[in-house]
Amino acid sequence: MTEAEDRKPRSDEARYDPEITSEFAVPEGLDVSRGGDQETTSEFAVPQGLPVPVPPSAEPEVSAFSTPSTYSSQDAPAAFTPAAGVPLVSLVKDAPWQDRMRTMLRMPVTERPAPEPVQREEEGGPAVPRVLDLTLRIGELLLAGGEGAEDVEAAMFAVCRSYGLDRCEPNVTFTLLSISHQPSLVDDPVTASRTVRRRGTDYTRLAAVFRLVDDLTDPETHVSLEEAYRRLAEIRRNRHPYPGWALSLASGLLAGAASMLVGGDLIVFVAAAVGAMLGDRLAWLCAGRGLPEFYQFTVAAMPPAAIGVGFALAHVDVKASAVVTGGLFALLPGRALVAGVQDGLTGFYITASARLLEVLYFFVGIVTGVLIVLYFGVKLGGELNPDAALHITQRPLVQIAASMLLSLTFAVLLQQERSTVLWVTLNGGVAWSVYGAMRYVADISPVASTAVAAGLVGLFGQLLSRYRFASALPYTTAAIGPLLPGSATYFGLLNMAQNEVDKGLVSLANAASLAMAIAIGVNLGSEVFRLFLRVGSPGKRRAAKRTRGF
């Protein structure tokens, strides 16, 4: 026997080896058929005698959105139509682009009308990545300027549709912008994102961005991609309309006007103005050193409180509480509060939570600065009376003039366009007049009076913005300045500095209630305008459905 034969496995001998004791061994005397395939097969194997189907040729690997190979457009089944029919969507072309874009954003993707490109397209259609990049840059400027998340999404959606990009889905959070474009169900989507790292208040820049979006959505104005990029670069390079010394002066005048609202006289006006300007300069110094905004607010709150405590220690016959209250008015983050509540009411809960958390940090910074000064003032024997809040002298003409001055200076601090300053000043005067009539004449609760006055601010602000085709923020944010809860905040902090924690918490809760009333009133006034005063409105605007707990 050769060596190769010796290595050949002897399967038959091994099969009938009597020494195999496994329970699966073949018993002796049993005839085992040796025909057919002896390999063990699955229970799902095709039985003998049944023809085996020939598998189709392997298809190349394609996208999940590709059309199946068995699909034929000629033999396609009839499209499914709901029993109630497909709703016909028609939008009023004369309506502002904000309303049209909000309406379409709240529709399902399949129900949105096809875009009508009004911008000049290059050969082969618009460059999708460049359009998405332009959209993100515009959204970044709007979000960094304090615009609400819903309005930012509407602007991004408007830019994409103006260049003919259908099936776009923008998404806005507090620091992240993203947009996705899918041309059709058989094409892969394209997604781009951008991070907002720096935020600054400049309503002049905000208004310029709104004008750019308005031109992009105007069917009679043709703006190419290159022209849009050029205008956006000019907006970024544009300098602030007011210099630094004007901002410091406006901060001082704002604090002085706020002190007049709570019963101060000329001496209190000057003292509050000096304290606010010192705080503003110290905050600028801290910002130049790279300190976070929390410490900037803490430092800015100390000079007005120190001047008020100094008057109390010197036993000067002035309202020290009015000095501190006026200084706090220039620091309260009313703009961020209104934007945060508005985002929450419109369903952007992540962005709203982030904005309100930012407001909380700023407020804690103000509390820290004022409490440090008040604590040492009380320890040194300063007589600061929290009950002074109950004896505010009613001077309607003086207070209306002070409220208008406060709104004017607040508009300067927000870097608004000069053409909007007069309107927002008048809006602030109307707001305080309504509040004073309800609070002091009709003896209505301060929360209800504040909510109604803020609602009128939102209503008139929305009306002015529609008239000028601009954002409503420049017409509402500065006008709510006279309504901010500066006195309630100060007296709550004073009670806590004097170890009267219960009274302090009650006063701070009152301040929080007033702040929420302002924010909800402004948003409700804007919504009432869209609901009942249908000036250029596209009809019904769909809102988010109630979840009913699930």
Side-chain angles (χ1 to χ4, degrees):
M1 180 181 296
T2 63
E3 185 176 343
E5 292 177 348
D6 187 54
R7 288 198 304 266
K8 184 178 180 181
R10 302 176 182 179
S11 57
D12 294 342
E13 295 179 4
R15 186 187 302 272
Y16 298 106
D17 191 352
E19 295 183 358
I20 297 178
T21 56
S22 171
E23 59 182 354
F24 298 103
V26 180
E28 293 183 8
L30 183 64
D31 185 17
V32 179
S33 175
R34 301 186 181 184
D37 191 4
Q38 301 297 324
E39 296 181 0
T40 304
T41 59
S42 169
E43 59 182 351
F44 299 103
V46 181
Q48 290 183 352
L50 189 68
V52 180
V54 179
S57 58
E59 296 183 0
E61 186 176 348
V62 293
S63 170
F65 298 100
S66 300
T67 306
S69 59
T70 57
Y71 176 80
S72 174
S73 58
Q74 298 179 352
D75 301 330
F80 171 75
T81 303
V86 179
L88 177 64
V89 180
S90 60
L91 300 176
V92 180
K93 293 184 178 181
D94 294 336
W97 62 265
Q98 297 98 315
D99 282 349
R100 290 187 282 113
M101 295 306 118
R102 286 195 196 97
T103 303
M104 283 189 284
L105 274 175
R106 294 186 176 188
M107 292 180 185
V109 179
T110 56
E111 296 182 13
R112 293 175 184 169
E116 298 178 3
V118 299
Q119 302 306 326
R120 186 182 306 155
E121 297 182 2
E122 293 80 2
E123 290 187 17
V128 174
R130 296 197 66 197
V131 173
L132 297 184
D133 179 70
L134 176 68
T135 303
L136 290 174
R137 291 177 183 273
I138 289 176
E140 178 190 11
L141 286 180
L142 292 176
L143 188 63
E147 192 64 72
E150 185 181 31
D151 293 327
V152 175
E153 282 196 358
M156 295 172 63
F157 192 69
V159 174
C160 283
R161 289 183 67 87
S162 66
Y163 285 102
L165 299 188
D166 195 9
R167 307 179 68 88
C168 288
E169 288 296 333
N171 187 24
V172 176
T173 58
F174 186 55
T175 58
L176 182 65
L177 299 168
S178 63
I179 188 166
S180 178
H181 166 64
Q182 185 179 359
S184 64
L185 290 176
V186 297
D187 293 323
D188 296 330
V190 179
T191 303
S193 62
R194 193 173 183 88
T195 303
V196 180
R197 302 191 183 277
R198 297 186 62 184
R199 294 184 300 276
T201 305
D202 189 344
Y203 282 179
T204 300
R205 181 179 296 173
L206 191 70
V209 176
F210 259 75
R211 284 193 294 268
L212 174 59
V213 178
D214 187 60
D215 290 341
L216 289 174
T217 56
D218 188 2
E220 298 181 357
T221 305
H222 299 283
V223 182
S224 64
L225 274 175
E226 298 299 331
E227 176 68 14
Y229 268 107
R230 186 189 63 79
R231 290 180 57 178
L232 193 62
E234 290 180 355
I235 293 172
R236 285 180 172 274
R237 290 194 301 264
N238 188 24
R239 300 182 60 184
H240 298 306
Y242 306 102
W245 63 267
L247 297 180
S248 297
L249 180 61
S251 178
L253 293 176
L254 188 152
S259 66
M260 300 292 287
L261 288 178
V262 294
D265 52 12
L266 183 59
I267 299 177
V268 172
F269 181 94
V270 175
V274 172
M277 286 190 288
L278 287 176
D280 181 73
R281 288 293 92 190
L282 287 176
W284 277 102
L285 181 62
C286 294
R289 299 293 181 180
L291 288 178
E293 286 184 298
F294 176 86
Y295 300 107
Q296 297 176 28
F297 275 83
T298 302
V299 172
M302 288 184 174
I307 292 178
V309 170
F311 280 140
L313 292 175
H315 302 287
V316 180
D317 189 16
V318 296
K319 275 193 172 183
S321 59
V323 177
V324 184
T325 300
L328 292 181
F329 263 85
L331 299 175
L332 293 177
R335 172 185 59 85
L337 176 67
V338 172
V341 174
Q342 180 181 0
D343 287 340
L345 294 176
T346 52
F348 294 85
Y349 301 113
I350 297 178
T351 307
S353 301
R355 288 188 191 272
L356 294 178
L357 184 61
E358 181 187 39
V359 171
L360 178 62
Y361 270 102
F362 292 163
F363 188 75
V364 171
I366 297 171
V367 167
T368 303
V370 175
L371 274 182
I372 291 174
V373 176
L374 292 181
Y375 177 79
F376 285 106
V378 171
K379 288 297 183 181
L380 294 175
E383 297 180 359
L384 300 170
N385 185 16
D387 295 333
L390 303 176
H391 307 288
I392 298 178
T393 305
Q394 298 183 23
R395 301 170 296 175
L397 296 179
V398 174
Q399 289 176 330
I400 291 176
S403 65
M404 296 177 68
L405 177 61
L406 194 153
S407 298
L408 187 148
T409 52
F410 203 173
V412 173
L413 288 176
L414 293 174
Q415 301 281 0
Q416 292 189 195
E417 291 180 306
R418 292 179 174 86
S419 59
T420 64
V421 171
L422 177 60
W423 293 108
V424 75
T425 301
L426 296 176
N427 202 6
V430 170
W432 180 261
S433 300
V434 173
Y435 171 80
M438 295 182 63
R439 178 71 185 96
Y440 301 119
V441 178
D443 198 20
I444 301 177
S445 68
V447 176
S449 303
T450 302
V452 172
L456 287 177
V457 168
L459 184 67
F460 291 139
Q462 197 66 229
L463 180 63
L464 291 170
S465 68
R466 297 304 176 85
Y467 174 72
R468 299 176 64 89
F469 294 97
S471 172
L473 283 182
Y475 301 98
T476 57
T477 305
I480 65 172
L483 305 176
L484 292 176
S487 58
T489 304
Y490 163 69
F491 288 111
L493 299 178
L494 181 57
N495 280 316
M496 296 183 69
Q498 294 179 344
N499 292 326
E500 297 178 357
V501 180
D502 294 339
K503 291 183 179 180
L505 292 178
V506 170
S507 185
L508 291 179
N510 184 30
S513 301
L514 292 174
M516 293 295 293
I518 293 172
I520 294 175
V522 170
N523 182 264
L524 185 61
S526 302
E527 295 297 329
V528 166
F529 179 89
R530 296 192 185 106
L531 252 144
F532 298 105
L533 304 179
R534 295 184 178 177
V535 180
S537 174
K540 295 183 180 179
R541 191 182 87 167
R542 297 192 179 188
K545 295 182 179 179
R546 293 181 58 188
T547 57
R548 300 186 183 274
F550 53 84

